[in-house]
Amino acid sequence: MRISRRSLLKGAAAAGAAGAVTALAGKAEASEHESKHRPDAVGMLYDSTLCVGCRACVTKCKEANQLPVDQSAMQGTEKAVYDAPSDLNGQTKNIIKVFKDGERFAFMKQQCMHCVEPSCVSVCMMGALHKEGEGTRSFEGENKGTGIVVYDKYTCVGCRYCQIACSFNVPKFEWFDPLPRIVKCELCKHRADKNKTGPLAVANPACCEVCPREAVIYGKREELLAIAKKRIAADPKRYNAKVYGEKEGGGTQVLYLAPASVSFQELGLPELPEHSAASFSEHVSHTPYLHGVTPIALYATAAFLIHRNKKKEEEAEHHEEGK
Ligand code: SF4
Ligand code: SF4
């Protein structure tokens, strides 16, 4: 069942913060035990050696997610002439960047990595970010086991903890919107084709559909990992020997192949230990629950933020109706 900001607020007010905490804590504990190994997890494999930097994926992503044009890279010119985002931002969920150092040259695609154990999910006190079908918020109709990190704008209070927590600097905020939301890739879950079976029935990333070089492909994470390893084995001179995302930060569902001459750090991917930051933060944040300490102040703050957002939304609705 979908929980709206309104019902969440009512629930929090009626039952009191302590009651809400108890319910959430129970679910948080349950989520901790949910399988980290998801055989049906989906993801993407980006092969930097195949990418030609055409940016078709950037444009198609915008179209598929109805994101506005971003002319920030054109600042300084008198008139922006085309959509030219220079980085991920409130209008851009997918970006192609370029690394260049003398003769060494490579393209890099950046979007949410759909981490196996995501920090953004771990720090979100409202459960507005969650692994599809898992955790403190799982909505009707969600698939379990896909591992897609989905976002619920109705429960987000705009605290932006997720932005701070993400090692990949992915979640962005709609700074210029009166009702700002977090913006990040959700693997085009809304484009899932329910008439199909397999990965396409759970998501259908527009960037993969449009790439003329198949530099980015979509499928089950386990199969993509096998494909990546096969490519490296077949042509070790072409590739960096590592598949980024297999283990970094606990693993990611978006995997990367880089040219032999370029490191993943040069492509902008952070060097991370094999254990996830989330496993540590979950331990810390769940400890008070285990010892029966109720963080009333935290949830009182959350209730306040929900109330404020609800008021803003109602004002905006009235404004729209009055037009
Ligand atoms: S890349 Fe960042 S936003 Fe995406 S799942 Fe991982 S922690 Fe969350
Ligand atoms: S569509 Fe494919 S080739 Fe073009 S920029 Fe995107 S990933 Fe690279």
Side-chain angles (χ1 to χ4, degrees):
M1 189 187 71
R2 179 163 287 275
I3 303 168
S4 66
R5 285 185 189 189
R6 191 183 298 255
S7 60
L8 229 168
L9 178 70
K10 275 187 190 161
V21 166
T22 310
L24 287 170
K27 283 203 163 190
E29 270 183 63
S31 75
E32 234 182 344
H33 297 296
E34 267 159 1
S35 172
K36 301 267 157 69
H37 177 69
R38 304 173 182 89
D40 289 328
V42 291
M44 298 195 288
L45 169 63
Y46 173 71
D47 186 335
S48 173
T49 73
L50 295 176
C51 180
V52 289
C54 66
R55 298 174 69 257
C57 52
V58 179
T59 308
K60 189 70 185 174
C61 173
K62 289 248 173 170
E63 185 193 303
N65 289 283
Q66 298 178 335
L67 294 164
V69 182
D70 171 22
Q71 295 155 329
S72 54
M74 309 294 288
Q75 271 169 9
T77 58
E78 206 163 279
K79 202 173 174 192
V81 286
Y82 60 91
D83 184 28
S86 58
D87 210 338
L88 296 178
N89 57 38
Q91 296 148 282
T92 310
K93 293 183 177 184
N94 171 50
I95 188 87
I96 292 287
K97 294 180 178 175
V98 63
F99 163 78
K100 192 165 174 9
D101 178 28
E103 293 295 298
R104 296 185 311 128
F105 181 85
F107 289 107
M108 168 65 185
K109 183 177 186 294
Q110 196 192 355
Q111 73 293 294
C112 175
M113 305 288 280
H114 297 277
C115 302
V116 173
E117 296 175 55
S119 305
C120 60
V121 170
S122 163
V123 299
C124 181
M125 62 182 172
M126 302 310 297
L129 284 156
H130 66 279
K131 283 273 189 193
E132 189 189 17
E134 300 176 20
T136 54
R137 300 269 184 280
S138 54
F139 300 129
E140 220 171 76
E142 284 192 351
N143 299 294
K144 198 176 164 83
T146 68
I148 300 173
V149 177
V150 291
Y151 171 66
D152 179 43
K153 64 181 182 181
Y154 297 104
T155 47
C156 175
V157 291
C159 67
R160 296 185 290 111
Y161 281 4
C162 55
Q163 286 195 291
I164 299 160
C166 175
S167 309
F168 300 97
N169 198 16
V170 165
K172 298 298 170 196
F173 197 58
E174 292 176 324
W175 287 105
F176 302 109
D177 196 301
L179 295 170
R181 312 285 184 206
I182 288 293
V183 174
K184 72 159 210 81
C185 158
E186 291 176 85
L187 274 183
C188 285
K189 216 187 105 45
H190 63 289
R191 296 176 84 240
D193 188 344
K194 297 293 175 202
N195 295 320
K196 298 227 161 94
T197 53
L200 278 181
V202 298
N204 186 7
C207 56
C208 300
E209 185 184 89
V210 79
C211 179
R213 299 268 299 159
E214 295 188 6
V216 59
I217 56 174
Y218 167 70
K220 283 196 181 183
R221 181 182 187 266
E222 285 186 358
E223 287 166 18
L224 295 173
L225 186 57
I227 292 171
K229 288 183 174 175
K230 221 168 154 181
R231 285 188 195 174
I232 295 172
D235 200 347
K237 284 200 179 134
R238 179 187 178 108
Y239 289 106
N240 187 314
K242 186 161 89 168
V243 183
Y244 189 96
E246 180 181 10
K247 294 179 180 154
E248 285 71 17
T252 58
Q253 291 179 210
V254 177
L255 304 166
Y256 284 84
L257 285 172
S261 60
V262 179
S263 74
F264 289 103
Q265 282 63 58
E266 285 173 317
L267 285 182
L269 289 163
E271 204 164 359
L272 296 174
E274 288 190 12
H275 63 266
S276 70
S279 55
F280 173 73
S281 67
E282 268 181 30
H283 176 76
V284 171
S285 63
H286 295 172
T287 300
Y289 300 140
L290 296 174
H291 294 283
V293 180
T294 311
I296 291 171
L298 184 68
Y299 281 89
T301 308
F304 168 75
L305 287 167
I306 295 168
H307 179 62
R308 195 194 61 184
N309 286 352
K310 178 180 157 267
K311 264 191 91 177
K312 270 192 186 177
E313 205 157 82
E314 280 173 357
E315 277 166 19
E317 272 170 22
H318 288 150
H319 182 70
E320 279 297 308
E321 282 164 13
K323 272 187 183 174

